[in-house]
Amino acid sequence: MGVEIKERRVTDAEFEEMTAFVFEYLAASVEKEEEGGRMRWYPWHSAEYRHNHILNVVELATEIAREEGADVDVTRVAALFHDVAKLETDQELHAEAGARVAREYLESRGEFPESFIHQVCRAIEQHSFQGDLTDLALETQCLIEADLLDKVGANGTALMLLRMGYEARTHMDTDEMVERVLERGYNAASRVESETAEGIAHQRLKRVKWFREWLEDEIAGMGD
Ligand SMILES: [Fe+2]
């Protein structure tokens, strides 16, 4: 009748299956990796970190999409696959490679309409975009905002402290390193467009600022 069929939802079971696929894919990329690659010892190059980051981004992106009226299924599936190729590909190519992995998966499983696959893959492909987020589809914007937000708060601070351990720094460097988390947070806050993401960014920045203030308050010789 020429009426477009209403797109079916991605079921929870399908989403779970996709999650398992993405995690297996990441674990397999690490196994294939050759020893001693550049900075491979940093915590964020492990499959465990990447799993966790992806789950955080799925949660944040879903929240933003819901509040901002974006398509939640497109957004959460794109968030789930956005870094699937991160451990097997160079940083500059991982977005495109991830979109290819997602397309292959979505085309071969279930009966997802092409329009859905297209929107998901477009968001993944563009998630490293450095320009103005309002130039992008709303779902892509939600994904990028979520990806930025996962690095700016308490979690970003914890990772920075972990990195200090890997770099054999002492805790006296903490204020300087936390300052870097704050700078990244200000950058992220200036890039996000939606009110929801702005709210989350400010809340998370506040946590990092508090942490830095507490450090300066407790540790002699810090922050003078
Ligand atoms: Fe990411």
Side-chain angles (χ1 to χ4, degrees):
M1 300 217 306
V3 178
E4 206 176 305
I5 302 162
K6 183 151 178 25
E7 284 182 13
R8 70 179 186 84
R9 313 288 304 159
V10 175
T11 65
D12 286 346
E14 281 170 330
F15 195 74
E16 251 171 60
E17 221 175 283
M18 288 177 198
T19 308
F21 170 84
V22 168
F23 291 178
E24 277 161 30
Y25 196 97
L26 284 165
S29 332
V30 173
E31 274 164 31
K32 276 186 269 168
E33 194 171 273
E34 287 189 16
E35 290 282 308
R38 185 176 61 97
M39 303 223 304
R40 282 302 178 206
W41 40 274
Y42 275 115
W44 40 94
H45 289 297
S46 69
E48 291 73 23
Y49 168 71
R50 208 37 65 186
H51 292 176
N52 183 257
H53 165 68
I54 287 172
L55 291 179
N56 295 342
V57 174
V58 166
E59 210 166 285
L60 283 162
T62 305
E63 181 187 341
I64 300 168
R66 237 179 234 133
E67 295 288 327
E68 299 295 324
D71 185 315
V72 172
D73 274 343
V74 167
T75 308
R76 70 179 182 142
V77 173
L80 184 58
F81 278 95
H82 86 280
D83 272 351
V84 68
K86 182 93 171 183
L87 300 176
E88 64 168 9
T89 326
D90 287 343
Q91 170 62 19
E92 309 75 55
L93 299 171
H94 87 281
E96 239 174 84
R100 275 199 299 275
V101 175
R103 173 168 285 281
E104 212 170 286
Y105 180 96
L106 295 170
E107 280 179 350
S108 63
R109 263 163 266 214
E111 280 163 12
F112 301 104
E114 173 50 34
S115 59
F116 173 80
I117 299 176
H118 170 75
Q119 289 177 79
V120 168
C121 293
R122 180 178 57 187
I124 300 169
E125 208 176 304
Q126 297 179 340
H127 88 268
S128 297
F129 179 69
Q130 294 301 320
D132 191 336
L133 298 190
T134 52
D135 292 344
L136 304 169
L138 186 55
E139 291 72 22
T140 312
Q141 184 185 309
C142 295
L143 167 59
I144 296 177
E145 289 181 335
D147 203 14
L148 287 167
L149 290 173
D150 189 41
K151 300 175 186 83
V152 306
N155 186 33
T157 308
L159 279 164
M160 188 56 97
L161 298 181
L162 193 55
R163 173 175 158 181
M164 288 174 59
Y166 279 95
E167 292 179 351
R169 289 171 180 268
T170 78
H171 82 299
M172 290 306 287
D173 288 338
T174 311
D175 56 346
E176 181 198 322
M177 299 304 271
V178 171
E179 186 62 37
R180 292 196 205 173
V181 180
L182 263 181
E183 272 165 34
R184 200 155 56 185
Y186 289 126
N187 274 341
S190 71
R191 279 200 75 209
V192 300
E193 289 289 343
S194 73
E195 256 178 55
T196 311
E198 261 174 31
I200 300 170
H202 285 114
Q203 180 194 44
R204 292 187 172 203
L205 272 170
K206 208 161 39 176
R207 292 172 181 163
V208 183
K209 272 190 250 173
W210 282 336
F211 183 66
R212 196 190 48 181
E213 280 169 27
W214 294 334
L215 278 170
E216 290 175 355
D217 192 42
E218 289 181 17
I219 303 176
M222 205 176 261
D224 320 320

